[in-house]
mmCIF file of all heavy atoms in Angstrom:
data_model
loop_
_atom_site.group_PDB
_atom_site.id
_atom_site.type_symbol
_atom_site.label_atom_id
_atom_site.label_comp_id
_atom_site.label_asym_id
_atom_site.label_seq_id
_atom_site.Cartn_x
_atom_site.Cartn_y
_atom_site.Cartn_z
ATOM 1 N N TRP P 1 55.947 29.103 61.819
ATOM 2 C CA TRP P 1 55.979 30.038 62.817
ATOM 3 C C TRP P 1 57.458 30.589 63.012
ATOM 4 O O TRP P 1 58.317 29.940 63.358
ATOM 5 C CB TRP P 1 55.488 29.385 64.138
ATOM 6 C CG TRP P 1 55.675 30.274 65.434
ATOM 7 C CD1 TRP P 1 55.876 31.639 65.418
ATOM 8 C CD2 TRP P 1 55.224 29.794 66.644
ATOM 9 N NE1 TRP P 1 55.775 31.978 66.753
ATOM 10 C CE2 TRP P 1 55.402 30.939 67.522
ATOM 11 C CE3 TRP P 1 54.943 28.593 67.292
ATOM 12 C CZ2 TRP P 1 55.259 30.781 68.905
ATOM 13 C CZ3 TRP P 1 54.700 28.518 68.649
ATOM 14 C CH2 TRP P 1 54.853 29.560 69.430
ATOM 15 N N ARG P 2 57.676 31.901 62.825
ATOM 16 C CA ARG P 2 58.916 32.472 62.836
ATOM 17 C C ARG P 2 58.931 33.587 63.999
ATOM 18 O O ARG P 2 58.115 34.346 64.021
ATOM 19 C CB ARG P 2 59.190 33.231 61.511
ATOM 20 C CG ARG P 2 60.625 33.573 61.241
ATOM 21 C CD ARG P 2 60.823 34.328 59.914
ATOM 22 N NE ARG P 2 60.364 33.671 58.857
ATOM 23 C CZ ARG P 2 60.982 32.755 58.198
ATOM 24 N NH1 ARG P 2 62.313 32.510 58.529
ATOM 25 N NH2 ARG P 2 60.419 32.140 57.099
ATOM 26 N N ARG P 3 59.831 33.271 64.844
ATOM 27 C CA ARG P 3 59.911 34.175 65.996
ATOM 28 C C ARG P 3 61.254 34.969 65.892
ATOM 29 O O ARG P 3 62.295 34.414 65.903
ATOM 30 C CB ARG P 3 59.879 33.540 67.318
ATOM 31 C CG ARG P 3 60.143 34.339 68.582
ATOM 32 C CD ARG P 3 59.722 33.634 69.848
ATOM 33 N NE ARG P 3 58.208 33.685 70.032
ATOM 34 C CZ ARG P 3 57.640 33.026 71.029
ATOM 35 N NH1 ARG P 3 58.294 32.264 71.803
ATOM 36 N NH2 ARG P 3 56.285 33.140 71.169
ATOM 37 N N ARG P 4 61.194 36.340 66.054
ATOM 38 C CA ARG P 4 62.285 37.201 66.051
ATOM 39 C C ARG P 4 62.541 37.972 67.264
ATOM 40 O O ARG P 4 61.467 38.514 67.736
ATOM 41 C CB ARG P 4 62.354 38.124 64.837
ATOM 42 C CG ARG P 4 62.446 37.362 63.483
ATOM 43 C CD ARG P 4 62.267 38.311 62.167
ATOM 44 N NE ARG P 4 62.476 37.576 60.982
ATOM 45 C CZ ARG P 4 61.750 37.940 59.816
ATOM 46 N NH1 ARG P 4 60.956 38.970 59.897
ATOM 47 N NH2 ARG P 4 62.095 37.290 58.750
ATOM 48 N N THR P 5 63.621 38.018 67.828
ATOM 49 C CA THR P 5 63.970 38.711 69.062
ATOM 50 C C THR P 5 64.531 40.076 68.847
ATOM 51 O O THR P 5 65.337 40.176 67.752
ATOM 52 C CB THR P 5 64.671 37.877 70.042
ATOM 53 O OG1 THR P 5 65.998 37.666 69.482
ATOM 54 C CG2 THR P 5 63.941 36.607 70.377
ATOM 55 N N GLU P 6 64.394 41.078 69.731
ATOM 56 C CA GLU P 6 65.170 42.317 69.456
ATOM 57 C C GLU P 6 66.612 42.183 69.563
ATOM 58 O O GLU P 6 67.428 42.838 69.040
ATOM 59 C CB GLU P 6 64.601 43.361 70.583
ATOM 60 C CG GLU P 6 63.125 43.684 70.337
ATOM 61 C CD GLU P 6 62.646 44.695 71.292
ATOM 62 O OE1 GLU P 6 63.553 45.195 72.150
ATOM 63 O OE2 GLU P 6 61.535 45.017 71.370
ATOM 64 N N GLN P 7 67.059 41.283 70.527
ATOM 65 C CA GLN P 7 68.507 41.167 70.774
ATOM 66 C C GLN P 7 68.789 39.562 70.644
ATOM 67 O O GLN P 7 67.937 38.767 70.911
ATOM 68 C CB GLN P 7 68.877 41.653 72.151
ATOM 69 C CG GLN P 7 68.678 43.186 72.413
ATOM 70 C CD GLN P 7 69.459 43.946 71.472
ATOM 71 O OE1 GLN P 7 70.687 43.615 71.131
ATOM 72 N NE2 GLN P 7 69.009 45.145 71.039
ATOM 73 N N PRO P 8 70.061 39.216 70.359
ATOM 74 C CA PRO P 8 70.362 37.869 70.265
ATOM 75 C C PRO P 8 70.145 37.084 71.670
ATOM 76 O O PRO P 8 70.447 37.795 72.613
ATOM 77 C CB PRO P 8 71.808 37.785 69.800
ATOM 78 C CG PRO P 8 71.927 39.004 69.076
ATOM 79 C CD PRO P 8 71.081 40.075 69.773
ATOM 80 N N VAL P 9 69.558 35.930 71.707
ATOM 81 C CA VAL P 9 69.374 35.277 72.852
ATOM 82 C C VAL P 9 70.056 33.776 72.777
ATOM 83 O O VAL P 9 70.056 33.319 71.742
ATOM 84 C CB VAL P 9 68.039 35.153 73.395
ATOM 85 C CG1 VAL P 9 67.317 36.571 73.678
ATOM 86 C CG2 VAL P 9 67.131 34.458 72.309
ATOM 87 N N ASP P 10 70.319 33.219 73.898
ATOM 88 C CA ASP P 10 70.952 31.934 73.855
ATOM 89 C C ASP P 10 70.047 30.904 74.440
ATOM 90 O O ASP P 10 70.379 29.691 74.610
ATOM 91 C CB ASP P 10 72.210 31.896 74.541
ATOM 92 C CG ASP P 10 72.132 32.240 76.124
ATOM 93 O OD1 ASP P 10 71.035 32.353 76.560
ATOM 94 O OD2 ASP P 10 73.148 32.187 76.764
ATOM 95 N N HIS P 11 68.739 31.221 74.451
ATOM 96 C CA HIS P 11 67.566 30.109 74.843
ATOM 97 C C HIS P 11 66.307 30.788 74.457
ATOM 98 O O HIS P 11 66.162 31.888 74.370
ATOM 99 C CB HIS P 11 67.662 29.854 76.254
ATOM 100 C CG HIS P 11 67.284 31.033 77.187
ATOM 101 N ND1 HIS P 11 68.122 31.842 77.565
ATOM 102 C CD2 HIS P 11 66.067 31.298 77.789
ATOM 103 C CE1 HIS P 11 67.462 32.798 78.350
ATOM 104 N NE2 HIS P 11 66.183 32.513 78.481
ATOM 105 N N MET P 12 65.319 29.809 74.131
ATOM 106 C CA MET P 12 64.049 30.265 73.810
ATOM 107 C C MET P 12 63.112 29.097 73.859
ATOM 108 O O MET P 12 63.408 27.918 73.626
ATOM 109 C CB MET P 12 64.122 30.725 72.239
ATOM 110 C CG MET P 12 62.745 31.080 71.624
ATOM 111 S SD MET P 12 61.850 32.297 72.625
ATOM 112 C CE MET P 12 62.951 33.799 72.254
ATOM 113 N N ARG P 13 61.885 29.397 74.162
ATOM 114 C CA ARG P 13 60.803 28.395 74.332
ATOM 115 C C ARG P 13 59.647 28.921 73.289
ATOM 116 O O ARG P 13 59.193 30.021 73.590
ATOM 117 C CB ARG P 13 60.282 28.179 75.666
ATOM 118 C CG ARG P 13 61.206 27.392 76.563
ATOM 119 C CD ARG P 13 60.715 27.373 78.098
ATOM 120 N NE ARG P 13 59.525 26.545 78.083
ATOM 121 C CZ ARG P 13 59.586 25.192 78.385
ATOM 122 N NH1 ARG P 13 60.665 24.625 78.795
ATOM 123 N NH2 ARG P 13 58.449 24.511 78.540
ATOM 124 N N MET P 14 59.265 28.166 72.309
ATOM 125 C CA MET P 14 58.166 28.477 71.524
ATOM 126 C C MET P 14 57.027 27.650 72.049
ATOM 127 O O MET P 14 56.989 26.423 71.837
ATOM 128 C CB MET P 14 58.419 28.276 70.078
ATOM 129 C CG MET P 14 59.577 29.178 69.649
ATOM 130 S SD MET P 14 60.069 29.010 67.839
ATOM 131 C CE MET P 14 58.804 29.793 67.072
ATOM 132 N N GLU P 15 55.871 28.204 72.596
ATOM 133 C CA GLU P 15 54.881 27.384 73.166
ATOM 134 C C GLU P 15 53.587 27.725 72.729
ATOM 135 O O GLU P 15 53.176 28.916 72.329
ATOM 136 C CB GLU P 15 54.977 27.699 74.829
ATOM 137 C CG GLU P 15 56.420 27.365 75.397
ATOM 138 C CD GLU P 15 56.468 27.762 76.832
ATOM 139 O OE1 GLU P 15 55.874 28.995 77.147
ATOM 140 O OE2 GLU P 15 57.015 27.091 77.652
ATOM 141 N N LEU P 16 52.791 26.760 72.769
ATOM 142 C CA LEU P 16 51.284 26.901 72.549
ATOM 143 C C LEU P 16 50.564 26.010 73.496
ATOM 144 O O LEU P 16 51.128 24.972 73.899
ATOM 145 C CB LEU P 16 50.872 26.736 71.047
ATOM 146 C CG LEU P 16 50.951 25.337 70.458
ATOM 147 C CD1 LEU P 16 49.962 24.285 70.765
ATOM 148 C CD2 LEU P 16 51.057 25.511 68.841
ATOM 149 N N VAL P 17 49.262 26.297 73.883
ATOM 150 C CA VAL P 17 48.557 25.550 74.792
ATOM 151 C C VAL P 17 47.331 24.902 73.966
ATOM 152 O O VAL P 17 46.507 25.765 73.393
ATOM 153 C CB VAL P 17 48.074 26.311 76.011
ATOM 154 C CG1 VAL P 17 47.124 25.386 76.846
ATOM 155 C CG2 VAL P 17 49.241 26.769 76.760
ATOM 156 N N PHE P 18 47.277 23.604 73.892
ATOM 157 C CA PHE P 18 46.089 22.885 73.368
ATOM 158 C C PHE P 18 44.922 23.126 74.450
ATOM 159 O O PHE P 18 45.110 22.717 75.513
ATOM 160 C CB PHE P 18 46.376 21.429 73.122
ATOM 161 C CG PHE P 18 45.233 20.618 72.697
ATOM 162 C CD1 PHE P 18 45.004 20.654 71.216
ATOM 163 C CD2 PHE P 18 44.415 19.987 73.468
ATOM 164 C CE1 PHE P 18 43.931 19.939 70.751
ATOM 165 C CE2 PHE P 18 43.395 19.251 72.975
ATOM 166 C CZ PHE P 18 43.180 19.236 71.634
ATOM 167 N N LEU P 19 43.826 23.748 73.973
ATOM 168 C CA LEU P 19 42.775 24.069 74.906
ATOM 169 C C LEU P 19 41.887 22.889 75.171
ATOM 170 O O LEU P 19 41.430 22.295 74.312
ATOM 171 C CB LEU P 19 41.987 25.269 74.380
ATOM 172 C CG LEU P 19 42.764 26.488 74.030
ATOM 173 C CD1 LEU P 19 41.891 27.628 73.395
ATOM 174 C CD2 LEU P 19 43.381 27.109 75.281
ATOM 175 N N GLY P 20 41.665 22.639 76.403
ATOM 176 C CA GLY P 20 40.749 21.487 76.804
ATOM 177 C C GLY P 20 41.690 20.261 77.087
ATOM 178 O O GLY P 20 42.815 20.252 77.074
ATOM 179 N N ILE P 21 40.768 19.233 77.460
ATOM 180 C CA ILE P 21 41.448 17.934 77.761
ATOM 181 C C ILE P 21 41.575 17.044 76.466
ATOM 182 O O ILE P 21 40.628 16.732 75.818
ATOM 183 C CB ILE P 21 40.565 17.337 78.838
ATOM 184 C CG1 ILE P 21 40.503 18.125 80.058
ATOM 185 C CG2 ILE P 21 41.227 15.804 79.128
ATOM 186 C CD1 ILE P 21 39.520 17.525 81.120
ATOM 187 N N PRO P 22 42.807 16.708 76.135
ATOM 188 C CA PRO P 22 42.938 15.863 74.983
ATOM 189 C C PRO P 22 42.494 14.406 75.279
ATOM 190 O O PRO P 22 42.524 13.930 76.337
ATOM 191 C CB PRO P 22 44.465 15.923 74.667
ATOM 192 C CG PRO P 22 45.089 16.133 76.037
ATOM 193 C CD PRO P 22 44.055 17.047 76.698
ATOM 194 N N ASP P 23 42.080 13.698 74.105
ATOM 195 C CA ASP P 23 41.775 12.229 74.331
ATOM 196 C C ASP P 23 42.960 11.469 74.038
ATOM 197 O O ASP P 23 43.062 10.341 74.513
ATOM 198 C CB ASP P 23 40.570 12.040 73.214
ATOM 199 C CG ASP P 23 39.400 12.657 73.417
ATOM 200 O OD1 ASP P 23 38.974 12.927 74.557
ATOM 201 O OD2 ASP P 23 38.728 13.059 72.432
ATOM 202 N N PHE P 24 43.846 12.037 73.344
ATOM 203 C CA PHE P 24 45.123 11.236 73.014
ATOM 204 C C PHE P 24 46.270 12.283 72.817
ATOM 205 O O PHE P 24 46.012 13.264 72.115
ATOM 206 C CB PHE P 24 44.945 10.513 71.838
ATOM 207 C CG PHE P 24 46.084 9.590 71.244
ATOM 208 C CD1 PHE P 24 46.584 8.558 71.883
ATOM 209 C CD2 PHE P 24 46.912 10.155 70.152
ATOM 210 C CE1 PHE P 24 47.617 7.952 71.438
ATOM 211 C CE2 PHE P 24 48.029 9.531 69.720
ATOM 212 C CZ PHE P 24 48.417 8.404 70.416
ATOM 213 N N THR P 25 47.409 11.891 73.297
ATOM 214 C CA THR P 25 48.722 12.663 73.142
ATOM 215 C C THR P 25 49.771 11.892 72.645
ATOM 216 O O THR P 25 49.856 10.581 72.848
ATOM 217 C CB THR P 25 49.165 13.371 74.380
ATOM 218 O OG1 THR P 25 49.428 12.488 75.353
ATOM 219 C CG2 THR P 25 47.957 14.287 74.917
ATOM 220 N N MET P 26 50.662 12.580 71.848
ATOM 221 C CA MET P 26 51.822 11.775 71.414
ATOM 222 C C MET P 26 53.055 12.539 71.298
ATOM 223 O O MET P 26 53.025 13.750 70.853
ATOM 224 C CB MET P 26 51.445 11.136 70.056
ATOM 225 C CG MET P 26 52.570 10.425 69.308
ATOM 226 S SD MET P 26 51.979 9.740 67.652
ATOM 227 C CE MET P 26 51.727 11.243 66.720
ATOM 228 N N ILE P 27 54.209 11.938 71.595
ATOM 229 C CA ILE P 27 55.497 12.467 71.090
ATOM 230 C C ILE P 27 56.056 11.283 70.206
ATOM 231 O O ILE P 27 56.479 10.339 70.889
ATOM 232 C CB ILE P 27 56.361 12.818 72.344
ATOM 233 C CG1 ILE P 27 55.653 13.844 73.306
ATOM 234 C CG2 ILE P 27 57.814 13.484 71.799
ATOM 235 C CD1 ILE P 27 56.437 14.192 74.500
ATOM 236 N N PRO P 28 56.077 11.426 68.963
ATOM 237 C CA PRO P 28 56.483 10.338 68.105
ATOM 238 C C PRO P 28 57.774 9.712 68.513
ATOM 239 O O PRO P 28 58.800 10.267 68.549
ATOM 240 C CB PRO P 28 56.507 10.966 66.761
ATOM 241 C CG PRO P 28 55.635 12.125 66.760
ATOM 242 C CD PRO P 28 55.768 12.728 68.175
ATOM 243 N N GLY P 29 57.769 8.365 68.661
ATOM 244 C CA GLY P 29 58.885 7.591 69.014
ATOM 245 C C GLY P 29 59.159 7.598 70.445
ATOM 246 O O GLY P 29 60.170 6.872 71.074
ATOM 247 N N ILE P 30 58.508 8.357 71.300
ATOM 248 C CA ILE P 30 58.728 8.502 72.763
ATOM 249 C C ILE P 30 57.647 8.288 73.770
ATOM 250 O O ILE P 30 57.684 7.441 74.550
ATOM 251 C CB ILE P 30 59.297 9.953 73.070
ATOM 252 C CG1 ILE P 30 60.541 10.209 72.218
ATOM 253 C CG2 ILE P 30 59.537 10.175 74.624
ATOM 254 C CD1 ILE P 30 61.096 11.630 72.334
ATOM 255 N N SER P 31 56.420 8.818 73.411
ATOM 256 C CA SER P 31 55.333 8.733 74.460
ATOM 257 C C SER P 31 54.137 8.707 73.601
ATOM 258 O O SER P 31 53.787 9.405 72.713
ATOM 259 C CB SER P 31 55.399 10.003 75.244
ATOM 260 O OG SER P 31 54.187 9.774 76.152
ATOM 261 N N TYR P 32 53.252 7.700 73.992
ATOM 262 C CA TYR P 32 51.878 7.480 73.447
ATOM 263 C C TYR P 32 50.937 7.401 74.541
ATOM 264 O O TYR P 32 50.854 6.480 75.075
ATOM 265 C CB TYR P 32 51.972 6.125 72.469
ATOM 266 C CG TYR P 32 52.893 6.237 71.369
ATOM 267 C CD1 TYR P 32 54.223 5.941 71.503
ATOM 268 C CD2 TYR P 32 52.482 6.770 70.135
ATOM 269 C CE1 TYR P 32 55.166 6.077 70.505
ATOM 270 C CE2 TYR P 32 53.412 7.029 68.992
ATOM 271 C CZ TYR P 32 54.659 6.495 69.239
ATOM 272 O OH TYR P 32 55.620 6.722 68.263
ATOM 273 N N ASN P 33 50.208 8.634 74.673
ATOM 274 C CA ASN P 33 49.219 8.723 75.670
ATOM 275 C C ASN P 33 49.862 8.502 77.170
ATOM 276 O O ASN P 33 49.259 8.039 78.060
ATOM 277 C CB ASN P 33 48.054 7.899 75.496
ATOM 278 C CG ASN P 33 46.773 8.574 75.513
ATOM 279 O OD1 ASN P 33 46.706 9.838 75.435
ATOM 280 N ND2 ASN P 33 45.616 7.955 75.775
ATOM 281 N N GLY P 34 51.274 8.720 77.256
ATOM 282 C CA GLY P 34 51.890 8.736 78.565
ATOM 283 C C GLY P 34 52.469 7.405 78.918
ATOM 284 O O GLY P 34 53.045 7.119 79.963
#
């Protein structure tokens, strides 16, 4: 996923929403289902 802006910016958030309720979530090495 490549995002290009019209002008240089000093912050950005690339976001997507997983639709529905997950059965399991993970941030590897940090959080396992909360």
